[in-house]
Amino acid sequence: MLETLKLETKGVPIYVQIRDQILAAVGAGTLRPGERLPTMREVSVALKVDLNTVRHAYEAAQEAGAIVMVRAQGTYVTQQPPVPPAEELDRFARQTIAAAGSAGIDPAALGLRITEIAGGKSS
């Protein structure tokens, strides 16, 4: 996972970028339930960012229910993916619609494509 982490300079806080990449990897199945994540120190060194920034990202991913941090043992992907509350899904949907609109993408077309991909019909 360490080699896939990338930081961009687009105004998004670093911890949010790290958290979102962890959540995306868990959601995509790249990180599987029970899999151990790199240590916070390893991520900090690899990305050349402050350890507290990585800690903030890991804590945020844990609050989202995607990972669990076990003191003196490591950080692992949770066994059961969390079921987000409806408000969280609505917030994410609105953010996605806004991002699509600002990129000139029709949100309805994007929704159909997401449904196709989720159903295994990626082409």
Side-chain angles (χ1 to χ4, degrees), residues 39-106:
T39 67
M40 289 182 240
R41 183 165 307 285
E42 290 171 333
V43 173
S44 173
V45 169
L47 297 178
K48 297 178 178 78
V49 298
D50 186 74
L51 180 61
N52 287 320
T53 300
V54 179
R55 182 180 333 255
H56 194 182
Y58 271 45
E59 287 171 352
Q62 180 172 261
E63 287 173 16
I67 63 173
V68 60
M69 294 186 289
V70 182
R71 188 174 184 93
Q73 292 183 19
T75 303
Y76 301 87
V77 177
T78 56
Q79 292 298 325
Q80 292 293 327
V83 177
E87 307 84 44
E88 180 70 16
L89 289 174
D90 288 348
R91 183 184 64 74
F92 187 76
R94 285 186 184 91
Q95 287 176 341
T96 303
I97 289 168
S102 68
I105 298 170
D106 174 34

